[in-house]
Amino acid sequence: MSGEKRRLRVAAAQLGPVQIKDERASVVRRMVALLEGAARSGCELVVFPELALTTFFPRYYYENLADVDVFFERAMPNETTLPLFDRAKELGVGFYLGYAELADEGNGVKRYNTSILVDRSGHIVGKYRKIHLPGFAEYRPGKLNQLEKRYFEVGNLGFPVWRTMGGVAGMCICNDRRWPETYRVMGLQGVELLLIGYNTASVNHAADEPAHLRMFHNHLTMQAGAYQNGTWVVASAKAGKEDGHGLIGGSCIIAPTGEIVARTYTEEDDLAIADCDLALCDYIKSTVFDFVRHRRIEHYRLITERTAAIAPD
Ligand code: ING
């Protein structure tokens, strides 16, 4: 690693809304345009959102899972996404892509909320399957629904990291970014570049809360995760009104110091670009969050042994 370039220009490639009637091919054309814009600005890596190819379908109730399978990909790349993979390889740009994965790995058909990391040579370096599935498995009539627990299995790949793009990269998806464990498990593997796609409703399905908290919590959790683990975070939203349902933007690039160094201010197809000097991770990881000097794991057992909080009587 010594001497290898540790600085790379990265783009959070935000997508505006994808309507339920929108063809995947039209979304891929938008993504290729974003990729080309990022490449023109010298970017070597582009992060697209969670479930980038379709509308955020977990907001809808489908009695039969067969009816939701139209939103899933059975292979990646496939005929529809190949133009994105081909153009990225031509331009020498790596990318993170979030999509709904229909997998049959010998133990029956499984559905995952998935992301892949593709390097600058077009090689799929790694895959991640979303672990923290928010919302409910059952439909709640008359309420805002978030049915990821109904449509997706909990991810079965853990929180892996890969040595690529001149550093150590990892991925997570949307609700994962709200849980400190997500960052810490990758932090304990030396992550320096944590890539996130998200679709976050403008109105919280779980609580009636002031609107300003949507963006506040979005950035708060990622800034904390970046700083407490000395990693860059690149996060890309699908944003805007999808068939009347609002999604927040706020795509951003966060330094290991926890500072937002670039962000979008629209809810459309947009790019936030920054130079990520991975060496900036080193001072955080070797001072305030020098894990080996400061962590006391003999006191942390509850974190993995207890799921629900138990308060004293
Ligand atoms: N979306 C939302 C997110 O975590 C959510 C769900 C919103 C949970 C607000 C709690 C509060 O950003 C996805 N897709 O996880």
Side-chain angles (χ1 to χ4, degrees), residues 50-51 56 58 113 130 132-135 146 148 173-179 197-201 203-207 209 214 217-218 248:
E50 168 192 33
L51 297 176
F56 186 72
N113 188 340
K130 187 174 182 178
H132 296 97
L133 299 171
Q146 222 291 13
E148 292 190 57
I173 300 175
C174 204
N175 195 255
D176 289 320
R177 78 192 188 286
R178 297 177 189 275
W179 299 92
Y198 64 90
N199 287 215
T200 297
V203 180
N204 186 342
H205 67 285
E209 65 180 9
R214 318 293 302 130
H217 289 154
N218 177 38
I248 66 168

Side-chain angles (χ1 to χ4, degrees), residues 194-265:
L194 208 163
L195 314 177
I196 308 177
Y198 64 90
N199 287 215
T200 297
S202 307
V203 180
N204 186 342
H205 67 285
D208 183 11
E209 65 180 9
H212 74 277
L213 288 180
R214 318 293 302 130
M215 194 58 78
F216 174 67
H217 289 154
N218 177 38
H219 289 150
L220 171 70
T221 51
M222 296 191 289
Q223 287 180 265
Y227 171 53
Q228 290 167 343
N229 295 279
T231 178
W232 286 89
V233 167
V234 184
S236 186
K238 178 140 64 66
K241 281 268 195 308
E242 294 192 332
D243 298 290
H245 302 274
L247 294 170
I248 66 168
S251 305
C252 59
I253 299 177
I254 299 169
T257 57
E259 296 166 292
I260 295 176
V261 297
R263 65 156 286 181
T264 60
Y265 291 92

Side-chain angles (χ1 to χ4, degrees), residues 1 30-31 43-44 55 67 75 104 123-124 157 169 175 198 223-224 274 285:
M1 282 302 287
R30 289 164 55 187
M31 295 169 78
C43 292
E44 302 154 84
T55 197
D67 295 334
D104 188 346
H123 170 64
I124 298 180
L157 301 176
N175 195 255
Y198 64 90
Q223 287 180 265
K285 292 177 190 281

